[in-house]
Amino acid sequence: MFRQANIISTNLMVRGFISDSSGIKDYVSVIGSQDYERIIILDSRSTVKYDSNGIDTGKAYATQEVIDALKGKSSSSFKKNMNIAKVITPIKDEKKDEVYGAIILTNSYDGINNSINSLKSISYLIILAMLILILTLSYNFSGLITKPFKKLLISINKITDGNVDEKIDIKGNNEIEEIGTAFNHMTDKLEQVDEGRQQFVANVSHELKTPLSSVKVLAESLLMQPDAPKELYKEFFEDISNEIERETTIINDLLTMVTLDKNDNELTISETNLNLLIESILKRLKPLADIKGVEMVFESYREVIAEVDKTKISLALTNLIENGIKYNKEYGTIKVTLNSDYKNAQVLVKDTGIGIPEESINKIFQRFYRVDKTRSRETGGTGLGLSITHQAILMHQGFIRCSSELGSGTTFEVSIPLKRPIHENI
């Protein structure tokens, strides 16, 4: 409205209509298409030269807004209760800085408000339609999204009921498919654990039953021969004693394994000189090595002091070195190497024994696993030694690796931290 009033003012000045009432009327009739509610044009004495409503033509219109306009000041007002806006602006010659009159534009906003209300109604209908559409789509999409989770929940409940071989088939290149893949990997692991548990129970039963069966057979043989010579009794009792010793070894290994498996099992940490510890182990196992003519070599690059559970680390290293002796060739060699960096201690146990097949390397730390069951029984192994070693090293937050070549020998690499974290709960 200000802009239109300024345009009218400029045109009246340029065309010299300000002093010509008929000229003003003709000009305003041309711009009447602007649909203003009322247009009033006043001269410099505040006399109405033109009133589009024809009410106040020729009358004086000396309101405060008009007086201010004749002084060169524009103003506006808005009557909200009537939806009417009014603009008053001077008719001014900018070059001479002289005011020749004023223009009053009045306009009603009823039409605009009606249009706005109509648009609001349409907008509300559009919003309502969009909400209905969104809710419908959301319901359908939520069904698509929740369907895989429902399938997942059903599979979880089946696993809870004991069906560890349950698998889930979720298609799609998204996070839900990744969850399904991870779930199937988990069930594979659970299946492996369950199979391992069943195999473990079967192995324990077999290992415990075998010596008892031998003792039973020997005892029954003696009972069936009441007049057997003394030498036969002595021979049989020696065999019975050996079988009992074997049973005791199996039970002790099982107890050790169970103890290491306990979540609340604590390590008795102390600063231990690993050089002296390994030397004492080699000294203790030397008689066993001498029987097979196995040479044991210890090589140390520096003195290594580590915060470890001396008993458990000693047990782990003893098992590795003892296996190196048992499964070595006659007049073979075992080389034990000790080294460290600023963070970890490294122990290598390398033998020149029979070696381990490549397909068995990843299984040797499983309980009761034997590469060659016949040879293991001949050497008196229970199949738990490497499992005990593995668990003891894991308890120290270390790791153990194995590399081997059939007929050439086996190397075990052990790494354990030199320092135990103070804040860690074992």
Side-chain angles (χ1 to χ4, degrees), residues 371-382:
V371 177
D372 186 339
K373 295 182 180 180
T374 303
R375 184 181 293 273
S376 296
R377 298 202 191 284
E378 290 175 356
T379 55
T382 63

Side-chain angles (χ1 to χ4, degrees), residues 44-205:
S44 58
R45 294 190 299 272
S46 72
T47 300
V48 176
K49 301 288 290 183
Y50 175 80
D51 182 356
S52 60
N53 289 350
I55 298 174
D56 295 329
T57 303
K59 295 180 180 180
Y61 209 87
T63 63
Q64 184 61 49
E65 292 91 343
V66 172
I67 294 171
D68 291 339
L70 293 175
K71 293 180 180 180
K73 182 180 179 181
S74 299
S75 63
S76 65
S77 63
F78 178 70
K79 294 181 180 179
K80 189 174 183 179
N81 58 336
M82 299 174 65
N83 282 328
I84 293 176
K86 182 168 66 175
V87 170
I88 303 174
T89 185
I91 301 173
K92 186 178 180 182
D93 187 344
E94 296 293 341
K95 292 181 179 179
K96 297 180 180 180
D97 194 22
E98 186 175 349
V99 177
Y100 292 93
I103 297 174
I104 301 174
L105 292 183
T106 304
N107 205 10
S108 171
Y109 282 86
D110 286 336
I112 295 175
N113 285 334
N114 291 335
S115 298
I116 291 174
N117 291 331
S118 177
L119 289 173
K120 282 183 179 179
S121 300
I122 295 172
S123 298
Y124 292 148
L125 290 175
I126 293 173
I127 291 172
L128 180 61
M130 290 295 294
L131 285 175
I132 293 173
L133 179 61
I134 290 171
L135 289 174
T136 304
L137 292 175
S138 298
Y139 178 78
N140 292 330
F141 278 115
S142 64
L144 292 175
I145 293 173
T146 57
K147 184 178 179 181
F149 288 104
K150 289 179 180 178
K151 291 173 64 178
L152 183 63
L153 182 60
I154 292 171
S155 297
I156 291 174
N157 289 331
K158 288 183 179 179
I159 290 178
T160 304
D161 293 335
N163 300 317
V164 295
D165 58 344
E166 178 68 18
K167 295 291 185 294
I168 187 170
D169 183 21
I170 298 178
K171 301 296 183 182
N173 187 19
N174 49 37
E175 290 79 1
I176 298 176
E177 184 182 12
E178 292 179 5
I179 293 174
T181 303
F183 178 85
N184 290 334
H185 287 164
M186 179 193 70
T187 57
D188 289 338
K189 290 292 184 182
L190 287 175
E191 195 171 356
Q192 291 175 12
V193 170
D194 188 58
E195 291 176 358
R197 177 184 60 81
Q198 295 177 10
Q199 186 64 39
F200 177 73
V201 172
N203 287 334
V204 169
S205 301

